[in-house]
Amino acid sequence: MTATAASAQRFREFKMPDVGEGLTEAEILKWYVRPGDTVTDGQVVCEVETAKAAVELPIPYDGVVHTLNFDEGTTVDVGTVIISVDTDPGAGPVPSAEAAPVAEPEPAEAEEPQGRQAVLVGYGAAPASTKRRPRKAQARPAAQPVTAGLQAELNGRAAVPAPAVVPAPATPAPAVPAPAAPGAPRPLAKPPVRKLAKDLGIDLATVVPTGADGVVTREDVHAAAAAAAPVSRETVTVPTALPEAVAVPSAGETRIPVKGVRKATAQAMVASAFTAPHVTEFITVDVTRTMKLVQELKQDPDMAGLRVNPLLFVAKAFLVALKRHPEVNASWDEANQEIVQKHEVNLGIAAATPRGLIVPNIKDAGGKTLPQLAEALGELVATAREGKTSPAAMSGGTVTITNVGVFGVDTGTPILNPGESAILAFGAVKLQPWVHKGKVKPRQVTTLALSFDHRLIDGELGSKLLADIAGVLEKPKRLITWG
């Protein structure tokens, strides 16, 4: 057996798995081990943050940690080796020909397995599509992650030098992008990105793509435009590397790298706002009876230990209204030009967490009783606060509720969670003068706002849905007569 083969058997490499459906990268938040530490099969060795959640990764080997390939705070592509383990530390020194494990090159003719490969957490990385140009490889030292501040230099294809003071030219001239080679494939980019590039005068063929499968993103275009702009200051100091998680201060402003949950939220909101035609309707409703029922059920033995609050009844009212109008619970399949009717309501609840906005959902919420729904809401909130919401809990939602009332806000115009048909904003409940039984009396009133995808839901259907939600909250006995 060769030294290379022996080392490959002794040293096992663990790659960054796809911890959520379709994710392409994750940031290493914390290492729980160091080189020389003993580990066992199933032991958690690090915590990573994806665009959806923070996840702990267990190691599938017994042995001693040999190398950690990336520092904390580094964003790593799925499929990249992040740690190696010496599975036979008693075998003596590492063979002289191999100071570290070397991955065996895969034969070009090797047949790729179909679909995703199973990994410890989530799914394996999806195979590259044959319809897309392969993503351009970029060598990146483990200890020096690329930061947002250096993206302009990368997109301009300029090497990042050591710290130095670079004098600005006396008469700066805009950079002229090199023309694309004849017969070169057309750059991959969505129509809004192509329009942005056209408006900024950027040739997409000259932009280095960072999106999945070589797709040019809006950030790539902005970075390329920044690289092509004239230098306005007399001198520019170019650092070799900056930690990704550290805000970069400058005169009059602070730049904070966009990544993780914030990056995913931004991309999702832009995609939703410019893909699904939004319509928002509003209704103001007297919820005095519902608020009284909330107080009564807090004392009910059957609801002991459960979270009983106005949001619980808004969720139940939404589910009852969806039962009366099941065609709302659907999604739009652009590729096949089909409307996909969902048979179960996976109710999303927008939650603000220290890492940003997330929308976990309650699976088959429409099939739950009021106590079961209260229990599910309580678990969802507790898990989100602890930062332990799993990617699976944030996938497959069909409709969402956002409770802006907790901030004292009356209402808003919520943006749809991508792939969903409707989102309901629940405003603050306030004591207001209201005509009740022919007399003006102080009543507890709130405003609801419903945004929906106009491709799926016509104005009539959306209006009926919102009116029914308000009807249940105005007279909660309709939970029985309608439910």
Side-chain angles (χ1 to χ4, degrees), residues 355-407:
R355 290 193 175 97
L357 175 68
I358 63 173
V359 188
N361 60 77
I362 300 172
K363 308 299 183 185
D364 193 18
K368 297 184 182 298
T369 63
L370 192 64
Q372 290 172 339
L373 186 61
E375 182 179 8
L377 273 172
E379 292 176 354
L380 180 149
V381 171
T383 303
R385 285 178 176 172
E386 294 171 0
K388 300 298 183 182
T389 304
S390 68
M394 291 184 284
S395 301
T398 57
V399 295
T400 291
I401 296 175
T402 177
N403 185 8
V404 298
V406 295
F407 306 108

Side-chain angles (χ1 to χ4, degrees), residues 153-396:
E153 284 79 3
L154 288 179
N155 280 345
R157 298 180 302 285
V160 181
V165 176
V166 182
T171 307
V176 180
R186 187 185 185 208
L188 299 175
K190 294 182 179 179
V193 177
R194 294 186 182 278
K195 183 178 185 302
L196 174 64
K198 181 179 179 182
D199 293 341
L200 296 178
I202 299 298
D203 183 358
L204 286 178
T206 67
V207 178
V208 176
T210 62
D213 297 325
V215 175
V216 177
T217 67
R218 294 178 66 89
E219 291 76 14
D220 297 336
V221 174
H222 282 301
V231 180
S232 59
R233 291 177 291 178
E234 293 184 0
T235 60
V236 180
T237 301
V238 183
T240 55
L242 291 171
E244 284 190 316
V246 177
V248 182
S250 62
E253 64 182 21
T254 299
R255 292 179 175 269
I256 303 173
V258 179
K259 59 183 180 178
V261 175
R262 171 59 57 192
K263 180 178 180 180
T265 301
Q267 292 174 340
M269 292 300 96
V270 170
S272 177
F274 292 98
T275 301
H278 285 56
V279 173
T280 304
E281 295 187 338
F282 308 88
I283 191 169
T284 302
V285 57
D286 176 3
V287 293
T288 305
R289 293 187 180 95
T290 291
M291 298 303 290
K292 288 181 179 179
L293 183 57
V294 168
Q295 297 304 318
E296 291 174 4
L297 287 183
K298 284 184 177 180
Q299 310 303 321
D300 193 310
D302 292 335
M303 302 295 286
L306 300 176
R307 293 175 60 90
V308 180
N309 53 27
L311 178 61
L312 171 63
F313 282 88
V314 172
K316 192 63 177 177
F318 199 180
L319 294 170
V320 169
L322 287 169
K323 186 176 180 180
R324 288 166 59 86
H325 306 286
E327 57 271 36
V328 170
N329 195 46
S331 65
W332 183 271
D333 186 341
E334 181 67 27
N336 296 313
Q337 288 294 292
E338 294 176 339
I339 294 176
V340 183
Q341 292 284 346
K342 307 292 185 177
H343 298 157
E344 294 181 351
V345 179
N346 294 338
L347 178 63
I349 304 295
T353 73
R355 290 193 175 97
L357 175 68
I358 63 173
V359 188
N361 60 77
I362 300 172
K363 308 299 183 185
D364 193 18
K368 297 184 182 298
T369 63
L370 192 64
Q372 290 172 339
L373 186 61
E375 182 179 8
L377 273 172
E379 292 176 354
L380 180 149
V381 171
T383 303
R385 285 178 176 172
E386 294 171 0
K388 300 298 183 182
T389 304
S390 68
M394 291 184 284
S395 301

